[in-house]
Amino acid sequence: MTVVVFGGNGFVGCKIMQHLVERDIPCTSVSRSGHRPVHLEKESWADEVEWVKGDASAPDPALFQECSAVIALVGSPPVPTFSSEAYKQQVYMNGETNKKAIEAAANAGVKNLVLLSADVPPMLQKESFGYYVGKQMAFEAAKHFVEEDETRHASVLRPSSIYGTRHTKNGLSIPLAPIMYPMRVIISAMPETVRKHMLPVPVSVEQVASVAVAAALNQAPSSNGFTVWENEAIVHQAA
């Protein structure tokens, strides 16, 4: 059975594809380009991935044949918007695309869903922030996925920030660990009473990918078919 990943050629998506291949799980990456990323051209594991061109907001029903789980990763950065068009684009990329992919998976009979969301700070949880509105839309779609069929399972990962090595379309590496990992160590060493007033501990792309794959394969703890994974739970489960 195949795991279908929408946004599988992105920062988190590539790492998820690698984890699936290393577990010998057949996997399909669906993206607007349909191409394997440049930085993976010499990675032999990437030969095992089916890289497919497609639109998460209108997925081909054939994608869900022999599909055991769907992982939805589509999104755009949490930047402020200064026009109605930019606002709508944020909602579309972070919300509507994932919602449509989730609905299509449900209609096709897929029973297992993993959604990558985000832990948005309370001060930014506003209707005027398109990124947050989109993330909430996708989150509600994941809840509905489970509520309308008790045989389904959904896991939502909500890290506050993810460190690792990003890549540009040309394959240029952008390492984030030198900045974010020391921050993680410092925050983790603080007493809990202090930590709760600071930004949540950053998590690594490896940790996020590990938990996402475990959830997709029903190998992670679940709560009544719907589980939300926050920062510390992601770190603990990935350990």
Side-chain angles (χ1 to χ4, degrees):
M1 299 292 283
T2 299
V3 174
V4 175
V5 183
F6 289 95
N9 65 347
F11 171 48
V12 178
C14 286
K15 190 57 65 175
I16 285 176
M17 306 313 294
Q18 182 178 0
H19 277 240
L20 287 167
V21 169
E22 289 174 350
R23 292 189 179 211
D24 294 322
I25 305 297
C27 49
T28 299
S29 167
V30 184
S31 64
R32 285 174 294 180
S33 70
H35 296 308
R36 149 185 185 160
V38 173
H39 71 278
L40 297 181
E41 286 299 330
K42 296 182 180 179
E43 295 287 344
S44 59
W45 66 262
D47 296 336
E48 304 301 317
V49 177
E50 182 181 11
W51 304 95
V52 174
K53 183 177 182 178
D55 183 352
S57 65
D60 183 351
L63 286 168
F64 304 111
Q65 295 179 7
E66 304 297 324
C67 176
S68 60
V70 163
I71 303 178
L73 307 171
V74 182
S76 59
V79 296
T81 54
F82 302 100
S83 69
S84 60
E85 286 304 313
Y87 177 87
K88 290 177 182 178
Q89 182 67 10
Q90 278 280 43
V91 175
Y92 174 78
M93 288 300 297
N94 293 288
E96 292 179 23
T97 51
N98 289 304
K99 179 182 178 181
K100 294 295 185 182
I102 292 169
E103 291 173 344
N107 292 334
V110 177
K111 297 295 185 181
N112 208 6
L113 165 72
V114 178
L115 169 69
L116 178 61
S117 186
D119 181 11
V120 179
M123 68 180 67
L124 296 177
Q125 294 179 15
K126 301 177 180 179
E127 290 297 314
S128 59
F129 188 32
Y131 176 84
Y132 169 70
V133 173
K135 291 298 184 185
Q136 283 300 105
M137 181 185 294
F139 182 85
E140 292 301 322
K143 284 181 64 178
H144 185 66
F145 176 85
V146 172
E147 290 170 348
E148 67 177 7
D149 187 339
E150 62 182 14
T151 66
R152 295 176 184 158
H153 295 83
S155 296
V156 180
L157 277 65
R158 294 206 299 195
S160 61
S161 55
I162 306 172
Y163 66 87
T165 301
R166 289 182 177 271
H167 294 87
T168 66
K169 290 183 179 180
N170 296 325
L172 178 66
S173 298
I174 306 175
L176 303 179
I179 298 173
M180 299 179 71
Y181 183 74
M183 183 190 308
R184 165 174 161 66
V185 173
I186 293 170
I187 296 175
S188 297
M190 293 180 176
E192 184 176 353
T193 53
V194 177
R195 285 206 315 268
K196 69 180 182 180
H197 296 294
M198 301 186 64
L199 291 173
V201 176
V203 298
S204 72
V205 66
E206 286 280 356
Q207 292 167 329
V208 172
S210 174
V211 175
V213 169
L217 302 179
N218 279 326
Q219 296 175 351
S222 178
S223 176
N224 297 321
F226 184 76
T227 307
V228 178
W229 296 87
E230 307 284 0
N231 281 44
E232 292 191 12
I234 292 171
V235 173
H236 177 76
Q237 176 63 26

